[in-house]
Amino acid sequence: MSDNNINNNNDVVIAVLAGSTSDESVYKKTIDVLEKEKISYELKILSAHRDPKKLDDYIKNCKALVYIAIAGLSAALPGVIASKTNRPVIGVPVSAKLGGLDALLSIVQMPPKVPVACVGIDRGENAAYLAIRILDLMKK
Amino acid sequence: MSDNNINNNNDVVIAVLAGSTSDESVYKKTIDVLEKEKISYELKILSAHRDPKKLDDYIKNCKALVYIAIAGLSAALPGVIASKTNRPVIGVPVSAKLGGLDALLSIVQMPPKVPVACVGIDRGENAAYLAIRILDLMKK
Amino acid sequence: MSDNNINNNNDVVIAVLAGSTSDESVYKKTIDVLEKEKISYELKILSAHRDPKKLDDYIKNCKALVYIAIAGLSAALPGVIASKTNRPVIGVPVSAKLGGLDALLSIVQMPPKVPVACVGIDRGENAAYLAIRILDLMKK
Amino acid sequence: MSDNNINNNNDVVIAVLAGSTSDESVYKKTIDVLEKEKISYELKILSAHRDPKKLDDYIKNCKALVYIAIAGLSAALPGVIASKTNRPVIGVPVSAKLGGLDALLSIVQMPPKVPVACVGIDRGENAAYLAIRILDLMKK
Amino acid sequence: MSDNNINNNNDVVIAVLAGSTSDESVYKKTIDVLEKEKISYELKILSAHRDPKKLDDYIKNCKALVYIAIAGLSAALPGVIASKTNRPVIGVPVSAKLGGLDALLSIVQMPPKVPVACVGIDRGENAAYLAIRILDLMKK
Amino acid sequence: MSDNNINNNNDVVIAVLAGSTSDESVYKKTIDVLEKEKISYELKILSAHRDPKKLDDYIKNCKALVYIAIAGLSAALPGVIASKTNRPVIGVPVSAKLGGLDALLSIVQMPPKVPVACVGIDRGENAAYLAIRILDLMKK
Amino acid sequence: MSDNNINNNNDVVIAVLAGSTSDESVYKKTIDVLEKEKISYELKILSAHRDPKKLDDYIKNCKALVYIAIAGLSAALPGVIASKTNRPVIGVPVSAKLGGLDALLSIVQMPPKVPVACVGIDRGENAAYLAIRILDLMKK
Amino acid sequence: MSDNNINNNNDVVIAVLAGSTSDESVYKKTIDVLEKEKISYELKILSAHRDPKKLDDYIKNCKALVYIAIAGLSAALPGVIASKTNRPVIGVPVSAKLGGLDALLSIVQMPPKVPVACVGIDRGENAAYLAIRILDLMKK
C-alpha cells in the first residue's frame, strides 16, 4: 500500500492506546496491520477512568502523529485524548456489553470541536488502515 | 425532608457541573430542589471534552462533598470527575440525540472501580434528591 | 481506600439485596469488594415481585445506611426499596435478557423524588465502590 | 359486544390505576371504552414509587375483578400490583421517554409466577378491551 | 393456587398454540405449569404464516376459554388469533433473533380493539399463571 | 421507465392495501408513483387484525399480480397476505410508534417459506418502484 | 411449487451475490432452495466495498432476471446493485454484529427510487422463495 | 487553529459530498467551519444510490486530500467513496429516521480494509474539525 518511509528514524508515528488488556483481541488486529505495513507504533494500556494522570502525562510527551484509542463500555478514552491533543484521534468501540452499542455511542457522539474518527465495533484493523490513509497524505 | 444544617457555614456542599448551557432545562431542575432544600451548591458549565484543564483545576480545588454532573451525547463528564475525586459522583444523562440513550450508556457503563451513580434521562431533580439522601447520612 | 471503622460494632452498614439466586455472579462481585474493604453487610435474596411482604418487613427493620439492590428483567427491586426508605439506594441491572437493557431502563428511569443510583450492567463491584465513597463522607 | 350485566350492582369491576396525572391521555382511552361498554370502574392516581403505602392499602381493600395499571418510565405499577393480588393485572406502558421502550420493558419482562398482561404503548383502549374479554368469560 | 375444578369434564380449557416446534423450550414451561395445576389444555403447533387455513379451522371449532400463543420473529400468531376469537389471548414472544425484541414488538403493539395480553420474552410459565388468574375469576 | 402496457385492459395489476386510513401519508406516495407510471391499481383499507374475513375474501378474489401492504405497529398485514397468496408481497412499515422499528421488525422478520419484500420505513414510493421492477420482467 | 421451465436453456436466472465467504451459512440456504426448485443461478462473492470495479463489471454483463444480495454490517451490496440495474434486487441482512440490526437497517432504509426488497435477518431461504414468486409471474 | 496555507493555490483540499439537498442543515455546519478556517473545498450533492456513475466520475477526477460524506438512512455514500479512493473519508450520519441510528450503523460498520472515519449524528462541524486535524499534519 505504501513504502511508509516516514518512520525510518524509528520515531513513534502512531500511538495505540487501549483501555484494558481485555481489549487485546481488538488491538491485536490494529498492531498486526501496523507491523505488516512497517509503521512505527507504541502500544499503551491506559484507562481514561482509572489512569487519568498517567494518560495526561503520556499525551503531553507523545510525539505520535495519529492516536488510535480502543475501549469498551463508557468508552471515554478516544474523546479524552481528542480533548488534549490536536492530532487526529481514531476510536475503536469494543463489544463488552450490549453488543458494543454502548462503546460505539460513547465514542462517536462527541460534542462540537472535539472530533473523534470512529470505526466499526471491534474493528481494530480499520483503525490502522485509516491511520495509513492519513499518513499517506504526508508523502506528497 | 431535613434541616440541612451541614451547610450553614456557606461552604459549597454540592458541585453541580453541566457540559453545556444547552443543558439548562435539566440542571435547572437540580438547582430548584437544592435551593428549596437550602443546600449550598455551586454551578459550573465545564465540558469534559472542551475544557479538560479547567475541569482538572476545578476538581483539585473543589471542597464539595458530592458532585452532580449533567451531560448529553458522549457524556464523559460524570466519569471523568469520578476518575479524579473520591467523592460520590451523580450523573444525569441529557436527551440531545437518540432520546438520550447515548448519554445514558456513556454515563452508566463505567469500568470497575470508577463508579458513577446514574439517574434517569433529563431527571435533574432526582440527582438533587439522591444527593440529599447521601448528605442526610452525615447528620447521625 | 479507608480504614472503615464505622462498622467496628458489627452493625450492618450495607444491605445487599438480590432479586434471585440466579444473580449470584453479580452480587458475588459486590460482596467481594465489601469483604476486602471490611465493610459490614448483610445479603438477602428477596424479590420485589415474589416476596413483597418480606421485603416490606425487611426494610422497616433494616438499620443499614446504604442499600445495594441487584435485579434483572423488570428490575423493580431498587425502585421499590427507594420508595420505602430515605437511605441512598444503589441499583445494579443484571443481563438476563436483551443484554440487560430491560433491567437498566427499569432501574434508572425512576420518577421524580424517588431516586435510584444506577451503576453499569452486571457491575456489582461498582455498587460496592460507590457505597464506600458515600460512607467515606461520614468519617470527616 | 356484551350487555355486561355483571356490574349492575354498581360494584367496582375494574380498578384503573395510573402512576401520574400526566398519563391522562392514555387512561382517558381506557375509561372511554369502559363507560361506553357500561363496565363499572374506579380510577385512582397512585404511584408505585411515590405512594407505596396508599397503593398497598388500596389493593388490600379493592374488590375489583381486574386491574388495569398505566405507567411510564420505570413502570413498576403493574408488577407491584400483580405481586399483591391474585387478580389479572393488565399493564399499559406510556411513552414518556425513549418512545415508551423503557415502560414497555419494565412492564412486560416480569419474573416467573408474577404475570402482567402487557398491551401496546399508550394503548389504553386495548387494556379495556382485554378486560372485557376476560369478564365475558364469567357470563357463561 | 386453586383446585381448578372447572376442567373436570375434560373439556379443553386452554388452547396452547406455538408457531413452530423450535419454540419447544418455551411452550414446555407453559405446559408444565398447566399440568401441575391440573388445567385441561390442548397443544397445537400451527404457524399463522404457514398454516393460515388450519389455524382458521382450529379457532372456529375451539372451545377453549383462553388462548396462549407462542411465537418468535414476526410473531403474528397471537394477533391473528385475537382477531378471530373474542376469548382472551395471551402472547409469548420467543427469542429467536435480536434477543426476542422483534417478537415482543410484533405481539404487543396491537392496533385498537384487538388486544393481546403479552408476557415476557421466553416466559412461557407466566402465560400459564396469567391464564390461571383469569380462570380463577369464574369460580366465584 | 416503461410504457407499462400490461395493464391496458384495465385489470388491476397492483393491489395496494393499508391497515388504516391513518397510513394515508404513506400509501399516497405509493399511489402517486403508480398513477404517474400509469399502472392499474386498487386501494383497499383493510386491517389484518380488525377485518380478517374481509381480507381473506379480498385475497381469494384478487387478480392483482403484486401486493403492496402498508401497516404500522404490529404490522401483520404483509405477512398475512403472503401466507394466502403466491404472488409477491411488498411490505411498507409505517412509523406510528418507536420510529417505526416495531412495524419494520413485524414485517421483515418472516419465517421460512413465507417471504415479504420489505422496503424502508414510510417509504411508500419505493414499494411502487419495486413493483414496477418486478412487472417489467413480464415485458420480455 | 412450479416447473420453472423458464430456465431450461441454462441461462442464469438469478444472480446470488454475497459480500464475503463468511456469509456462507446464509447463502447456502438460498442456493439449497434454488437447486431444489431447479432455478438456474450463479453465485458470486463480491464485496460492494472491496471489489467495487469487479461488481460494476459483473452487473453490466449480468443477464440475470433477479438479484439476491447477501451482506452483513454496513451492508451496501444490495443497494449498490439496485443503483446499477433495473432488475428487482432482494437483500438479505447477515447477523455479524448487533444481532444483524446494522445490516438490516443498511439494506432496508433505501432512499426514494432505489428500492431493495429486504427479507429477514439470516433468512437466505426466503430470498429464494421471494425470487420464485417474482419469476412465477412470467409464466402466465 | 492554523494558517492553512496548504490551499493557497486554490486547489480543492476537501471534497464535501452530501447525498441529498435535504441534508443541508448538516453540510452547512461543515462548510461554515471550512470557510471560517479558509480551507478550500468543493460541495457536491451526489447520491451513492441515485447517481452512481456521476459519483464514480467525480471521485476519479477529484484532487481533494480528504473527503467528507454526509448521508442519512442507508447511508452508503461514505463507504462507497472509501472503496474508490485511498484518501481519508469522513462520514457524517444524518438523522432522517430512527434518530439517525440507521445512518450511523450504515456508515460506521465498514468491513475490513475499507475504513470510514465516522463522526456524530448530524455533527457536520466535527467532520470539518477532524479534516483540519488531518491536514495540519502536512504542515510539519
Side-chain angles (χ1 to χ4, degrees):
Chain A
M1 185 174 283
S2 62
D3 61 310
N4 294 314
N5 57 5
I6 51 180
N7 64 334
N8 54 9
N9 58 354
N10 283 325
D11 278 351
V12 169
V13 172
I14 298 185
V16 180
L17 289 91
S20 160
T21 53
S22 65
D23 304 327
E24 186 179 359
S25 68
V26 179
Y27 62 70
K28 186 76 168 45
K29 294 186 217 171
T30 306
I31 288 173
D32 284 353
V33 173
L34 295 178
E35 294 202 335
K36 194 175 155 200
E37 298 288 332
K38 297 195 172 57
I39 312 274
S40 168
Y41 71 90
E42 186 172 47
L43 172 67
K44 287 281 172 186
I45 308 299
L46 281 173
S47 161
H49 290 120
R50 284 171 294 190
D51 314 299
K53 286 179 189 170
K54 281 188 194 170
L55 180 60
D56 270 23
D57 290 344
Y58 179 78
I59 297 170
K60 268 175 203 148
N61 297 302
C62 183
K63 296 287 198 295
L65 301 179
V66 175
Y67 288 81
I68 293 174
I70 297 160
L73 306 167
S74 297
L77 188 64
V80 166
I81 297 173
S83 74
K84 303 195 174 186
T85 177
N86 286 321
R87 300 295 193 209
V89 178
I90 300 168
V92 189
V94 175
S95 60
K97 290 282 176 186
L98 296 171
L101 186 66
D102 47 4
L104 170 58
L105 296 177
S106 297
I107 290 174
V108 82
Q109 290 289 72
M110 291 294 289
K113 297 194 180 170
V114 192
V116 166
C118 189
V119 297
I121 296 171
D122 296 333
R123 197 53 82 199
E125 67 276 51
N126 273 3
Y129 287 119
L130 178 58
I132 290 169
R133 287 182 179 224
I134 290 171
L135 295 172
D136 278 353
L137 289 179
M138 301 176 67
K139 295 184 191 160
K140 314 207 161 273
Chain B
M1 187 173 283
S2 62
D3 62 310
N4 294 312
N5 58 5
I6 50 180
N7 65 332
N8 55 8
N9 57 355
N10 283 324
D11 279 351
V12 169
V13 172
I14 297 186
V16 180
L17 289 91
S20 161
T21 52
S22 65
D23 302 328
E24 186 179 358
S25 68
V26 179
Y27 62 70
K28 185 77 167 44
K29 293 186 218 170
T30 305
I31 288 172
D32 284 354
V33 174
L34 296 178
E35 295 202 334
K36 194 174 156 200
E37 299 288 332
K38 296 196 173 56
I39 313 272
S40 168
Y41 71 90
E42 185 173 47
L43 172 68
K44 287 281 174 187
I45 308 298
L46 281 173
S47 162
H49 291 120
R50 284 171 294 190
D51 312 301
K53 287 179 188 170
K54 281 188 196 170
L55 180 60
D56 270 23
D57 290 344
Y58 179 78
I59 298 170
K60 268 175 202 147
N61 297 302
C62 185
K63 297 285 197 297
L65 300 179
V66 175
Y67 288 82
I68 293 174
I70 297 161
L73 305 166
S74 298
L77 188 63
V80 165
I81 297 173
S83 74
K84 303 193 173 186
T85 178
N86 285 321
R87 299 294 191 210
V89 179
I90 300 168
V92 188
V94 175
S95 61
K97 291 280 176 188
L98 296 171
L101 186 66
D102 47 4
L104 170 58
L105 296 178
S106 296
I107 289 174
V108 82
Q109 289 289 72
M110 292 293 291
K113 298 194 181 171
V114 193
V116 166
C118 189
V119 297
I121 296 171
D122 297 333
R123 196 55 80 198
E125 68 276 50
N126 272 2
Y129 288 119
L130 177 58
I132 291 169
R133 287 184 179 222
I134 291 170
L135 295 172
D136 278 352
L137 290 179
M138 301 175 66
K139 296 185 192 159
K140 323 225 146 258
Chain C
M1 185 173 284
S2 63
D3 62 310
N4 294 313
N5 58 4
I6 51 182
N7 66 332
N8 55 8
N9 57 354
N10 283 324
D11 278 352
V12 169
V13 173
I14 298 185
V16 181
L17 289 91
S20 160
T21 52
S22 65
D23 302 328
E24 184 178 1
S25 68
V26 178
Y27 62 69
K28 186 74 166 47
K29 293 186 219 171
T30 305
I31 288 173
D32 285 353
V33 173
L34 295 178
E35 296 203 333
K36 193 175 156 201
E37 300 288 331
K38 296 195 172 57
I39 313 273
S40 167
Y41 71 90
E42 185 173 48
L43 172 68
K44 287 280 173 187
I45 308 299
L46 281 173
S47 162
H49 291 120
R50 284 172 293 190
D51 313 301
K53 286 179 189 168
K54 281 188 194 169
L55 180 60
D56 270 21
D57 291 344
Y58 179 78
I59 298 170
K60 266 175 205 148
N61 297 301
C62 184
K63 296 284 196 299
L65 301 179
V66 176
Y67 288 81
I68 293 174
I70 297 161
L73 304 167
S74 297
L77 187 63
V80 166
I81 297 173
S83 75
K84 302 194 174 187
T85 177
N86 285 321
R87 300 295 192 210
V89 179
I90 300 169
V92 189
V94 176
S95 61
K97 291 281 177 186
L98 296 172
L101 187 66
D102 47 5
L104 170 58
L105 296 177
S106 298
I107 289 173
V108 83
Q109 290 288 73
M110 292 293 290
K113 298 194 180 170
V114 193
V116 167
C118 188
V119 296
I121 297 170
D122 295 334
R123 196 56 79 201
E125 66 276 52
N126 273 2
Y129 287 119
L130 178 57
I132 290 170
R133 286 184 179 223
I134 291 169
L135 295 173
D136 278 352
L137 289 179
M138 301 176 67
K139 297 183 191 161
K140 314 213 157 268
Chain D
M1 188 173 281
S2 62
D3 63 311
N4 295 312
N5 58 4
I6 51 182
N7 64 332
N8 54 9
N9 56 355
N10 283 325
D11 279 350
V12 169
V13 173
I14 297 186
V16 180
L17 288 90
S20 161
T21 53
S22 65
D23 303 327
E24 184 178 1
S25 68
V26 179
Y27 62 69
K28 186 74 169 44
K29 295 186 215 170
T30 306
I31 289 173
D32 284 353
V33 174
L34 296 178
E35 295 201 336
K36 196 176 154 200
E37 298 288 334
K38 295 194 175 59
I39 312 274
S40 168
Y41 71 90
E42 184 173 47
L43 171 68
K44 286 281 174 187
I45 308 299
L46 280 174
S47 162
H49 292 120
R50 284 171 295 191
D51 313 300
K53 286 179 188 169
K54 282 189 195 168
L55 180 60
D56 270 23
D57 290 344
Y58 179 78
I59 298 169
K60 268 175 204 149
N61 297 302
C62 184
K63 296 285 198 298
L65 301 179
V66 175
Y67 288 83
I68 293 175
I70 297 161
L73 305 167
S74 298
L77 188 63
V80 165
I81 297 173
S83 74
K84 303 193 174 186
T85 178
N86 285 321
R87 300 294 192 210
V89 179
I90 299 169
V92 189
V94 176
S95 61
K97 291 282 176 187
L98 296 171
L101 186 66
D102 47 4
L104 169 58
L105 296 177
S106 297
I107 289 173
V108 82
Q109 289 288 74
M110 292 294 289
K113 297 194 180 172
V114 193
V116 166
C118 188
V119 297
I121 296 171
D122 295 334
R123 196 56 82 200
E125 67 275 51
N126 273 2
Y129 288 118
L130 177 58
I132 290 169
R133 288 184 179 222
I134 291 170
L135 295 173
D136 277 353
L137 290 178
M138 301 175 66
K139 296 184 193 161
K140 316 209 158 269
Chain E
M1 186 173 283
S2 62
D3 63 309
N4 295 311
N5 59 4
I6 52 182
N7 65 333
N8 56 9
N9 57 355
N10 283 325
D11 278 352
V12 169
V13 172
I14 298 185
V16 180
L17 289 91
S20 161
T21 52
S22 65
D23 303 326
E24 185 178 0
S25 68
V26 179
Y27 61 69
K28 185 77 167 42
K29 294 185 218 171
T30 306
I31 290 172
D32 284 354
V33 173
L34 296 177
E35 296 202 335
K36 193 174 156 201
E37 298 289 331
K38 295 195 174 58
I39 313 273
S40 167
Y41 71 89
E42 183 172 49
L43 171 68
K44 286 282 173 187
I45 308 299
L46 280 174
S47 161
H49 291 121
R50 284 171 294 191
D51 313 299
K53 286 180 189 168
K54 282 189 194 168
L55 180 61
D56 271 21
D57 291 344
Y58 179 79
I59 298 169
K60 268 176 205 146
N61 297 302
C62 184
K63 295 285 198 298
L65 301 179
V66 176
Y67 288 82
I68 293 173
I70 296 161
L73 304 168
S74 297
L77 188 63
V80 166
I81 297 172
S83 74
K84 303 193 174 187
T85 178
N86 285 322
R87 299 295 192 209
V89 179
I90 300 168
V92 189
V94 176
S95 60
K97 291 281 177 187
L98 295 172
L101 186 66
D102 48 4
L104 169 59
L105 296 177
S106 297
I107 289 174
V108 82
Q109 290 287 75
M110 292 293 290
K113 296 193 182 172
V114 193
V116 166
C118 189
V119 296
I121 297 171
D122 296 334
R123 197 54 82 199
E125 66 275 52
N126 273 2
Y129 288 118
L130 177 57
I132 290 169
R133 286 183 179 223
I134 292 170
L135 295 173
D136 278 353
L137 290 179
M138 302 176 66
K139 296 184 192 160
K140 321 219 151 260
Chain F
M1 185 172 285
S2 64
D3 63 310
N4 294 313
N5 59 5
I6 51 183
N7 65 332
N8 55 8
N9 56 354
N10 284 326
D11 278 351
V12 169
V13 173
I14 298 186
V16 180
L17 289 92
S20 162
T21 53
S22 64
D23 303 326
E24 184 178 1
S25 68
V26 178
Y27 62 70
K28 185 76 166 44
K29 295 186 217 171
T30 306
I31 288 171
D32 285 352
V33 173
L34 296 178
E35 295 202 334
K36 195 175 155 200
E37 299 287 333
K38 296 194 172 58
I39 313 272
S40 168
Y41 71 90
E42 185 173 47
L43 172 68
K44 287 281 174 189
I45 308 298
L46 280 174
S47 161
H49 292 121
R50 284 172 293 190
D51 313 299
K53 286 180 189 169
K54 282 190 194 169
L55 180 61
D56 269 22
D57 291 344
Y58 179 78
I59 297 169
K60 267 175 203 145
N61 297 303
C62 184
K63 295 287 198 296
L65 301 179
V66 175
Y67 288 83
I68 292 173
I70 296 161
L73 303 168
S74 298
L77 188 63
V80 166
I81 297 173
S83 75
K84 303 194 173 186
T85 177
N86 286 321
R87 299 295 192 209
V89 179
I90 300 168
V92 188
V94 176
S95 60
K97 290 282 177 188
L98 296 173
L101 186 66
D102 48 4
L104 170 58
L105 296 177
S106 297
I107 289 174
V108 82
Q109 289 288 74
M110 293 292 291
K113 297 194 181 173
V114 192
V116 166
C118 188
V119 296
I121 296 170
D122 295 334
R123 196 55 82 200
E125 67 275 51
N126 273 2
Y129 289 118
L130 178 58
I132 290 169
R133 287 184 178 221
I134 292 169
L135 295 172
D136 278 353
L137 290 178
M138 301 176 67
K139 296 184 191 159
K140 323 223 145 258
Chain G
M1 186 174 283
S2 64
D3 62 310
N4 294 312
N5 58 5
I6 52 181
N7 65 334
N8 55 9
N9 56 357
N10 284 324
D11 278 349
V12 169
V13 173
I14 297 185
V16 180
L17 288 92
S20 160
T21 51
S22 64
D23 302 326
E24 185 177 0
S25 68
V26 179
Y27 62 69
K28 184 76 167 44
K29 295 186 217 170
T30 306
I31 288 172
D32 285 353
V33 174
L34 296 178
E35 294 202 335
K36 194 175 155 201
E37 298 289 332
K38 295 195 175 59
I39 313 274
S40 167
Y41 71 91
E42 185 173 47
L43 172 68
K44 286 282 173 187
I45 308 299
L46 280 173
S47 161
H49 291 121
R50 284 172 293 190
D51 314 299
K53 287 181 188 168
K54 282 190 193 169
L55 180 60
D56 269 22
D57 291 345
Y58 179 78
I59 298 169
K60 268 176 204 147
N61 297 303
C62 184
K63 296 286 198 297
L65 301 179
V66 176
Y67 288 82
I68 293 173
I70 297 159
L73 304 167
S74 297
L77 189 63
V80 165
I81 297 172
S83 75
K84 303 193 173 186
T85 177
N86 286 322
R87 300 294 192 210
V89 179
I90 300 167
V92 189
V94 175
S95 61
K97 291 280 176 189
L98 296 171
L101 186 66
D102 48 4
L104 169 59
L105 296 177
S106 297
I107 289 174
V108 83
Q109 289 290 70
M110 292 294 290
K113 298 195 180 171
V114 192
V116 166
C118 189
V119 296
I121 296 171
D122 296 333
R123 196 55 81 202
E125 67 275 49
N126 273 2
Y129 288 118
L130 177 58
I132 290 169
R133 286 183 179 223
I134 291 170
L135 294 172
D136 278 352
L137 290 178
M138 302 175 66
K139 294 185 192 159
K140 313 205 161 273
Chain H
M1 187 172 283
S2 63
D3 62 310
N4 293 314
N5 58 4
I6 51 181
N7 65 332
N8 55 8
N9 57 355
N10 283 324
D11 278 352
V12 169
V13 172
I14 298 186
V16 180
L17 289 91
S20 160
T21 53
S22 65
D23 303 326
E24 185 179 358
S25 68
V26 179
Y27 63 70
K28 185 75 167 45
K29 294 185 217 172
T30 306
I31 288 173
D32 284 353
V33 174
L34 296 178
E35 294 201 335
K36 194 176 156 199
E37 299 287 333
K38 297 196 171 58
I39 313 273
S40 168
Y41 71 89
E42 186 173 47
L43 172 67
K44 288 280 173 189
I45 308 300
L46 281 173
S47 161
H49 291 121
R50 285 172 293 190
D51 314 299
K53 286 179 189 169
K54 281 189 195 169
L55 179 61
D56 270 23
D57 290 344
Y58 179 77
I59 298 170
K60 268 175 202 147
N61 297 301
C62 184
K63 296 287 197 295
L65 300 179
V66 175
Y67 288 82
I68 293 173
I70 296 161
L73 304 167
S74 299
L77 188 63
V80 165
I81 296 173
S83 74
K84 302 195 173 185
T85 178
N86 285 321
R87 300 295 192 209
V89 179
I90 300 168
V92 189
V94 176
S95 59
K97 289 282 176 188
L98 295 173
L101 187 66
D102 48 4
L104 170 58
L105 296 178
S106 297
I107 289 174
V108 82
Q109 289 289 71
M110 293 291 291
K113 298 194 180 171
V114 193
V116 166
C118 188
V119 296
I121 296 171
D122 295 333
R123 196 54 82 197
E125 67 276 51
N126 272 2
Y129 288 119
L130 177 58
I132 290 170
R133 287 183 179 222
I134 291 171
L135 294 172
D136 277 353
L137 290 179
M138 301 176 68
K139 295 183 191 162
K140 321 224 147 259

